[in-house]
């Protein structure tokens, strides 16, 4: 039987062990999950994808330790014992180690107290814990915007260009090579003639003066030719060349529409927040620049910041069309569809003024969907309301519109994957 050896060659950070870190995260999974949950509650959508500091009490890190005795059978007399006899059980001292440290007991002036253990979760670890109950798979990028943008990229060097793009090192390197190539034969002949001149100076023959004069004239001619070679010629100049190439549009805007009427309680808002976070993280993996627009509505709609969007409460009825009208207005004023990829996400319990639901469908079909790359509607309540029935009429006719229900936190990501299966990897 052959033995198979597996070698872990994953790169580790400095002074870090991947195996030990993974075991530590598994052992304290519940405490880490609670810390991540607290962090999520206090974070905004744009701050979601970053690490977090996690604090674990020192007492929870203690591990059992086996000690080795001296061995053998021995009788030992320990002086000073006046309270215990053989068989008595000695109680553990109160307050940890003599009442010092461990966050309890009286203060100590010895500097021996023990602080809680604090470590940092990386961005990847934080997102893994955050999506742990949703079993988040890897998303694959498939299609992007069809509207191209032009960006310039380096394309080597060219012999012409503007002075600001002149590459001095390349130009001097070319000039040096040209001078060496043009003067190579002349320098070789010059060295030979100089050596010949030294030999003629040592000779004493009748023709020596004539030969010496001819040699010196040739040397002077060669030196003049070498000096005539220009130090820098226009053909030596090299300029950085850049070409314009089309690239997919990398800007996107995400519209978050949510009902904040009295029927939307905190649990339903939490479901909506999870969905909006998923959509935002999904888009950040596809586009370089993401704008987020928050629109909340009851009987009237208004654009607000993230804090008011998720935490402000309202009472009264619901008119969903007001949010769609405001969304179209913002798109027309600030986000041209030729320059931006527009995504819309609407979360509601489905409760709407009966006569308004038909208008919502018309607004979506005629005004919003022609401008959007994708629009998703999530109902965070089980009963089918009149808004759901009206939106159903659009689902089969419009390819970039989808709608689903999610009434529990565990349903958010499966619903999200169904809504974006055209751009995400299917499992």
């Amino acid at each position: 039987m052959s033995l198979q050896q597996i070698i872990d060659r994953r790169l580790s950070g400095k002074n870090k062990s991947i195996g030990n870190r993974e075991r530590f995260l598994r052992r304290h999974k519940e405490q880490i999950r609670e810390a991540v949950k607290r962090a999520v509650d206090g974070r905004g959508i744009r701050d979601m994808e970053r690490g977090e500091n996690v604090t674990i009490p020192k007492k929870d890190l203690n591990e059992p330790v086996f000690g080795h005795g001296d061995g053998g059978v021995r009788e030992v007399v320990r002086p000073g014992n006046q309270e215990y006899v053989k068989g008595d059980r000695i109680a553990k001292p109160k307050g940890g180690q003599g009442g010092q440290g461990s966050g309890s007991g009286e203060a100590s002036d010895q500097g021996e107290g023990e602080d809680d253990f604090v470590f940092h979760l990386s961005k990847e670890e934080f997102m893994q814990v955050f999506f742990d109950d949703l079993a988040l798979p890897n998303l694959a990028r498939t299609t992007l915007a069809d509207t191209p943008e032009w960006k310039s990229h380096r394309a080597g060097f060219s012999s012409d260009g503007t002075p600001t793009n002149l590459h001095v090192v390349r130009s001097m390197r070319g000039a040096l090579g040209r001078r060496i190539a043009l003067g190579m034969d002349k320098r070789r002949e010059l060295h030979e003639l100089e050596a010949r001149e030294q030999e003629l100076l040592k000779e004493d023959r009748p023709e020596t003066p004539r030969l010496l004069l001819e040699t010196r004239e040739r040397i002077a001619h060669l030196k003049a030719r070498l000096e005539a070679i220009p130090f820098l010629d226009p053909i030596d100049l090299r300029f950085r060349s850049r070409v314009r190439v089309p690239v997919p549009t990398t800007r996107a805007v995400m519209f978050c529409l949510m009902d904040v009427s009295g029927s939307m309680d905190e649990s339903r808002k939490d479901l909506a927040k999870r969905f909006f976070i998923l959509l935002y993280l999904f888009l950040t993996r596809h586009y370089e620049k993401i704008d987020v627009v928050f629109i909340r509505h009851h009987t009237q709609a208004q654009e607000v910041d993230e804090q008011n969007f998720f935490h402000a409460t309202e009472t009264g009825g619901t008119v969903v069309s007001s949010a769609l009208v405001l969304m179209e207005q913002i798109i027309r004023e600030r986000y041209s569809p030729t320059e931006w990829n527009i995504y819309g996400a609407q979360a509601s319990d489905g409760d709407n003024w009966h006569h308004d639901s038909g208008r919502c469908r018309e607004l979506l079909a005629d005004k919003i969907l022609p401008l959007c790359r994708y629009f998703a509607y999530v109902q965070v309540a089980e009963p089918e309301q009149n808004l759901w029935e009206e939106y159903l009429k659009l689902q089969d006719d419009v390819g970039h519109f989808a709608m689903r229900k999610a009434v529990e936190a565990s349903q958010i990501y499966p619903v999200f994957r169904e809504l974006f299966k055209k751009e995400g990897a299917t499992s």
Side-chain angles (χ1 to χ4, degrees), residues 1-235:
M1 177 183 295
S2 60
L3 297 178
Q4 184 178 10
Q5 185 178 9
I6 300 176
I7 302 176
D8 187 356
R9 297 190 182 277
R10 293 175 295 177
L11 297 178
S12 299
K14 184 178 180 181
N15 299 327
K16 294 181 181 179
S17 170
I18 290 180
N20 292 338
R21 186 173 181 86
E22 290 179 348
R23 284 191 294 270
F24 179 82
L25 294 178
R26 287 195 301 267
R27 178 181 176 187
H28 302 282
K29 185 176 182 179
E30 292 301 324
Q31 292 167 303
I32 295 173
R33 182 178 297 173
E34 288 298 322
V36 169
K37 182 178 179 180
R38 291 192 299 270
V40 169
D41 294 338
R43 287 188 181 184
I45 287 182
R46 297 181 180 87
D47 299 329
M48 188 56 60
E49 198 175 12
R50 60 179 174 85
E52 176 68 18
N53 290 329
V54 178
T55 301
I56 297 180
K58 190 72 174 181
K59 61 182 179 62
D60 294 339
L61 300 176
N62 294 334
E63 297 182 358
V65 178
F66 291 94
H68 297 278
D70 296 334
V73 178
R74 299 182 301 116
E75 291 185 0
V76 180
V77 177
R78 300 189 183 278
N81 178 23
Q82 299 179 357
E83 300 181 31
Y84 304 102
V85 296
K86 184 178 180 180
D88 288 348
R89 302 180 68 88
I90 302 176
K92 184 178 180 180
K94 297 181 180 180
Q97 299 179 356
Q100 298 179 4
S102 300
S104 61
E106 298 179 357
S108 171
D109 60 352
Q110 304 299 320
E112 298 177 358
E114 294 181 347
D115 297 329
D116 293 337
F117 178 71
V118 180
F119 71 99
H120 182 74
L121 279 180
S122 66
K123 179 179 69 175
E124 292 77 13
E125 293 169 342
F126 181 88
M127 297 309 298
Q128 180 63 35
V129 175
F130 175 64
F131 289 120
D132 187 46
D133 58 338
L134 302 180
L136 181 67
N138 294 325
L139 297 176
R141 176 177 179 174
T142 55
T143 59
L144 277 178
D146 298 328
T147 304
E149 286 184 352
W150 295 92
K151 287 189 176 182
S152 61
H153 292 271
R154 292 183 180 179
F157 301 92
S158 62
S159 58
D160 56 350
T162 61
T164 57
N165 290 330
L166 178 65
H167 196 286
V168 178
V169 175
R170 278 293 183 120
S171 300
M172 297 305 298
R173 186 185 303 171
L176 178 61
R178 176 185 51 80
R179 294 198 305 272
I180 292 175
L182 293 178
M184 183 179 298
D185 295 337
K186 298 180 180 62
R187 289 190 183 87
R188 183 184 301 112
E189 184 181 357
L190 179 62
H191 292 326
E192 293 175 354
L193 290 175
E194 289 177 345
R196 176 62 177 163
E197 180 185 15
Q198 297 299 324
E199 294 177 357
L200 290 173
L201 292 175
K202 298 177 181 179
E203 295 180 359
D204 187 12
R205 293 183 299 169
E207 65 274 12
T208 298
R210 179 180 57 83
L211 295 175
L212 185 60
L213 179 61
E214 294 177 353
T215 301
R216 288 176 175 176
E217 290 179 353
R218 182 60 180 170
I219 290 176
H221 176 73
L222 289 177
K223 288 183 177 181
R225 292 288 304 274
L226 289 173
E227 292 178 356
I229 298 177
F231 181 80
L232 189 64
D233 196 85
I235 64 174

Side-chain angles (χ1 to χ4, degrees), residues 407-422:
V407 295
E408 296 179 359
S410 59
Q411 297 175 347
I412 291 295
Y413 185 73
V415 165
F416 174 82
R417 183 170 55 186
E418 292 179 12
L419 290 175
F420 288 89
K421 60 185 178 181
K422 292 184 179 181

